[in-house]
Amino acid sequence: MGDVTNKAETSEEVKPRSVRVVLMALMIAMLLAMLDNMIIGTAMPTIVGELGGLEHLSWVVTAYTLATAASTPIWGKIGDMYGRKGAFLTSIVIFLIGSALSGMAQDMGQLIGFRAVQGLGAGGLMVGVMAIIGDLIPPRERGKYQGMMAGVMALAMIGGPLVGGTITDHMGWRWSFYINLPLGAVALAMVTAVLHLPKKRAKGKIDYLGAALLTLAITSTVLVTTWGGTEYAWGSAEILGLIAVGVLSTAAFLYAETKAAEPVMPLHIFRSRNFTLMSVIGFLVGFAMFGGVLYLPLFQQSVQGASATNSGLLLLPMLLSMMLVSLIAGRITTSSGKYKMFPIMGGALMVVGMFLLAQMDTGTSRLMSGVYMGILGAGLGFLMQITMLVAQNSVDMKDMGVASSSATLFRTLGGSFGVALMGSLFTTQVTNTMADRLGPEAAGAAGSAQLDAASLAKLPEAIREAYQYAVAAGTHSAFLLGAGVAVLGFVAAWFVKEVPLKGAGPAAKAPADGASEGDVGAATGDGGPARAHEALAH
């Protein structure tokens, strides 16, 4: 009996330390996936200057985004079927291979192809992080680590442009990709050495047909949002054709999933009201966040005269607020087991923040815009990690991977739609306002590009003022759309059920009334996290 007790005590001592080491490795991997696009953005002018191919510039980002979005659900399913550790390590290796090849690219075609390889790995990084945390840490305890994940996101958004600019200026653009190698190697070594999850062997085969149809549906959807209103008119044959492909492939995918033995995205997970609501709210969070991240620096550079060099720092009020609120919400969730109030508060603050940002004009001070960003950041902080937490709590352990990947995918697609629709509205408003103030010819000359503070200073005063007014009008329209979309998230949050979080002890005596089977399974648990803790301790 004494031996058993000593063994249990030793296990308890090892677990927290081992969990911290694994979490550190997971955060490094998460940083890799998020930091990459931020760094590359600042290096793109230099890359085009050396490799040429300006007309294919957008594909450097699009190829990465497409590959990430399309592979995300597949990585989640592979982890569920064959074990999360192997899938995660494989995704890191693929990401590092893509990074090394991208750094060695000799022309724009090679760079686009290698970025797609990198994106395939990145799809597994984010899903792997979320699913492994879901395996290791019961939902009740997971809130304590929310601030860490929000901090990594803030670090990537703030530090990415600064790091990218510094590396490009002093080491060359190729090191924007090579910098991933030492970080990835550290994450690879730490995960290999410390993480010991139980191995799985699924009897069924991978749902190749479902994976292909889902990839086609995601690809056509992302291309519509990327090209619509920019490369092609919204009513063009190309965009309408892509919409038709997206609709048909989605319908075919849903039918195929009802017949597959091991569906890549099991439709039964959507029987849980909470999971479905979190998918919708996650989509709307992505819509608001990515739109805000894109257009806030543009407003501050063009209208408020801020420097483009420190573009990451312009988002500091929003990101710090998001990180702090996420940390507080996580602590409260862990101590109380209650979470329904957070989506509601987050939805309300997101609506208010977006509406206030829509009121900015040429006379708005940086202090006031910072306050507005802080309110939006607080709303995102209440929602960012809670959506993933509740989504994972709404499914059985065997579906943890697909739940994590689905939640990640909906947020990614929300970001694509947000950037596309807000961008289309922004561009149309800027063009129309410039035309009203200066006439079509002058508007075309000044409004054909996004001008930074240095370029604006060289323009005649009348044109400069008209452009600043036009950008303010464009951001007004974009953020007003964001506020309208955020209202939907606020409404959806009221329908979330307070299902007890797994690992909540006495508080989790029974699931809430009306909970689905997935909710019941998640609330009662099947010992998955306990077994994972055990394996980790050994």
Side-chain angles (χ1 to χ4, degrees), residues 240-375:
L240 293 177
L242 283 170
I243 291 174
V245 170
V247 171
L248 292 174
S249 54
T250 300
F253 166 73
L254 293 175
Y255 177 76
E257 294 306 271
T258 63
K259 304 297 181 184
E262 283 287 349
V264 70
M265 186 183 288
L267 300 184
H268 68 79
I269 61 176
F270 292 98
R271 292 176 191 159
S272 164
R273 176 197 289 188
N274 275 3
F275 183 84
T276 302
L277 287 171
M278 287 303 119
S279 298
V280 171
I281 294 173
F283 178 92
L284 300 175
V285 167
F287 192 107
M289 185 179 73
F290 287 104
V293 166
L294 181 63
Y295 290 104
L296 280 169
L298 177 59
F299 175 86
Q300 292 191 309
Q301 289 172 39
S302 300
V303 179
Q304 297 180 328
S307 168
T309 307
N310 298 321
S311 56
L313 297 176
L314 300 176
L315 298 172
L316 202 56
M318 184 177 86
L319 297 173
L320 286 179
S321 173
M322 182 176 74
M323 182 170 62
L324 181 62
V325 169
S326 181
L327 180 63
I328 293 171
R331 293 287 178 180
I332 294 174
T333 301
T334 297
S335 62
S336 69
K338 304 293 184 183
Y339 55 82
K340 180 175 179 176
M341 59 183 169
F342 296 130
I344 294 172
M345 293 167 63
L349 287 171
M350 200 162 72
V351 172
V352 173
M354 278 289 185
F355 181 76
L356 290 173
L357 288 171
Q359 308 312 307
M360 294 191 303
D361 56 27
T362 54
T364 304
S365 67
R366 290 192 194 181
L367 175 62
M368 287 310 300
S369 59
V371 171
Y372 300 161
M373 282 191 282
I375 294 172

Side-chain angles (χ1 to χ4, degrees), residues 152-502:
V152 168
M153 183 176 295
L155 180 63
M157 290 181 176
I158 295 170
L162 297 175
V163 171
T166 303
I167 290 176
T168 303
D169 290 342
H170 295 92
M171 302 171 69
W173 66 266
R174 296 181 187 277
W175 279 95
S176 297
F177 297 103
Y178 293 150
I179 193 69
N180 293 329
L181 301 181
L183 286 173
V186 170
L188 202 62
M190 291 172 72
V191 172
T192 302
V194 182
L195 182 63
H196 304 291
L197 292 174
K199 292 184 180 179
K200 302 178 183 177
R201 248 178 118 78
K203 296 178 182 177
K205 294 182 179 179
I206 294 177
D207 177 20
Y208 292 107
L209 176 61
L213 289 170
L214 181 59
T215 299
L216 184 60
I218 293 171
T219 300
S220 54
T221 302
V222 172
L223 286 179
V224 166
T225 58
T226 304
W227 286 347
T230 53
E231 295 286 326
Y232 304 101
W234 284 104
S236 65
E238 289 84 356
I239 296 300
L240 293 177
L242 283 170
I243 291 174
V245 170
V247 171
L248 292 174
S249 54
T250 300
F253 166 73
L254 293 175
Y255 177 76
E257 294 306 271
T258 63
K259 304 297 181 184
E262 283 287 349
V264 70
M265 186 183 288
L267 300 184
H268 68 79
I269 61 176
F270 292 98
R271 292 176 191 159
S272 164
R273 176 197 289 188
N274 275 3
F275 183 84
T276 302
L277 287 171
M278 287 303 119
S279 298
V280 171
I281 294 173
F283 178 92
L284 300 175
V285 167
F287 192 107
M289 185 179 73
F290 287 104
V293 166
L294 181 63
Y295 290 104
L296 280 169
L298 177 59
F299 175 86
Q300 292 191 309
Q301 289 172 39
S302 300
V303 179
Q304 297 180 328
S307 168
T309 307
N310 298 321
S311 56
L313 297 176
L314 300 176
L315 298 172
L316 202 56
M318 184 177 86
L319 297 173
L320 286 179
S321 173
M322 182 176 74
M323 182 170 62
L324 181 62
V325 169
S326 181
L327 180 63
I328 293 171
R331 293 287 178 180
I332 294 174
T333 301
T334 297
S335 62
S336 69
K338 304 293 184 183
Y339 55 82
K340 180 175 179 176
M341 59 183 169
F342 296 130
I344 294 172
M345 293 167 63
L349 287 171
M350 200 162 72
V351 172
V352 173
M354 278 289 185
F355 181 76
L356 290 173
L357 288 171
Q359 308 312 307
M360 294 191 303
D361 56 27
T362 54
T364 304
S365 67
R366 290 192 194 181
L367 175 62
M368 287 310 300
S369 59
V371 171
Y372 300 161
M373 282 191 282
I375 294 172
L376 176 61
L380 293 173
F382 279 126
L383 291 166
M384 282 296 296
Q385 305 304 330
I386 288 291
T387 51
M388 179 65 73
L389 172 66
V390 178
Q392 291 179 336
N393 191 59
S394 302
V395 300
D396 295 324
M397 284 300 298
K398 65 183 177 63
D399 292 322
M400 184 65 70
V402 292
S404 303
S405 63
S406 299
T408 304
L409 175 63
F410 281 112
R411 188 179 298 174
T412 302
L413 292 178
S416 295
F417 275 90
V419 169
L421 297 181
M422 292 172 78
S424 178
L425 203 58
F426 174 85
T427 303
T428 300
Q429 190 64 41
V430 168
T431 304
N432 291 342
T433 304
M434 289 290 288
D436 289 342
R437 291 204 154 216
L438 300 175
E441 291 185 7
S448 59
Q450 294 175 357
L451 305 177
D452 57 22
S455 303
L456 278 170
K458 299 174 184 176
L459 292 176
E461 186 175 350
I463 295 179
R464 181 173 66 251
E465 288 180 354
Y467 183 76
Q468 289 175 333
Y469 183 85
V471 169
T475 51
H476 169 78
S477 299
F479 286 124
L480 210 55
L481 172 64
V485 167
V487 169
L488 299 177
F490 175 65
V491 172
W494 284 96
F495 293 92
V496 173
K497 284 187 174 294
E498 190 95 71
V499 178
L501 295 174
K502 192 190 307 181

